[in-house]
């Protein structure tokens, strides 16, 4: 089950996946954000506090969200995606303005770091501070 909420001022959508973000679940994040975007959401805070593990498929999902929010086409499949290509696309887009990350557990943070993603995503541990940063 997922929890999606809006910030107090209604400007930021907080998406909260629960459990592993991997090959079995990564499309849920992409589909959920796509649906929320169609409903008018534009700034997203992904709360990973209840995600103990993220695989390369999970990283692809986060990358896909960032690309969609920049108006770019995300990869159609895992076969079309690689961390190296993602790092290049992230570098081209710079620091993400419309998607930020909250409450990364140590193993998840390490996975983001190894993939070279930490330089492109702002990380927060305080919800109010994260919401104010948009």
């Amino acid at each position: 089950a997922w929890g999606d909420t809006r910030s107090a001022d209604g400007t930021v959508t907080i998406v909260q996946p629960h459990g592993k973000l991997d090959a079995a679940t990564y499309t849920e994040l992409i589909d959920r954000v796509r649906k929320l975007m169609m409903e008018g959401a534009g700034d997203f805070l992904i709360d990973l506090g209840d995600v103990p593990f993220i695989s390369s498929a999970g990283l692809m999902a986060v990358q896909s969200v960032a690309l969609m929010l920049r108006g770019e086409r995300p990869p159609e499949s895992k076969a079309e995606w690689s961390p190296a290509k993602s790092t290049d696309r992230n570098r081209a887009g710079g620091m993400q303005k419309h998607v930020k990350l909250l409450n990364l557990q140590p193993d998840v943070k390490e996975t983001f770091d190894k993939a070279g993603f930490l330089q492109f995503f702002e990380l927060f541990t305080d919800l109010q501070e994260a919401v104010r940063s948009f």
Side-chain angles (χ1 to χ4, degrees), residues 7-81:
S7 58
D9 64 3
T11 60
V12 178
T13 301
I14 302 146
V15 179
Q16 297 171 291
H18 298 288
K20 293 178 181 176
L21 196 50
D22 58 15
T25 61
Y26 80 99
T27 57
E28 290 178 48
L29 177 62
I30 297 168
D31 294 342
R32 192 162 208 91
V33 170
R34 186 176 279 131
K35 177 181 178 288
L36 291 163
M37 285 175 68
M38 285 191 285
E39 294 170 1
D43 287 325
F44 288 86
L45 183 61
I46 302 175
D47 183 347
L48 296 172
D50 196 28
V51 175
F53 172 82
I54 189 166
S55 71
S56 60
L59 289 174
M60 183 183 102
V62 173
Q63 168 70 16
S64 294
V65 167
L67 291 171
M68 290 187 304
L69 288 165
R70 287 201 320 245
E72 296 181 36
R73 186 185 72 78
E76 292 295 319
S77 68
K78 287 190 300 183
E80 209 181 287
W81 185 84

Side-chain angles (χ1 to χ4, degrees), residues 58-104:
L59 289 174
M60 183 183 102
V62 173
Q63 168 70 16
S64 294
V65 167
L67 291 171
M68 290 187 304
L69 288 165
R70 287 201 320 245
E72 296 181 36
R73 186 185 72 78
E76 292 295 319
S77 68
K78 287 190 300 183
E80 209 181 287
W81 185 84
S82 77
K85 277 190 214 165
S86 291
T87 300
D88 290 344
R89 286 183 85 172
N90 280 334
R91 191 170 290 114
M95 184 63 76
Q96 300 304 311
K97 294 175 182 65
H98 300 291
V99 61
K100 300 179 184 189
L101 307 175
L102 180 67
N103 296 328
L104 273 69

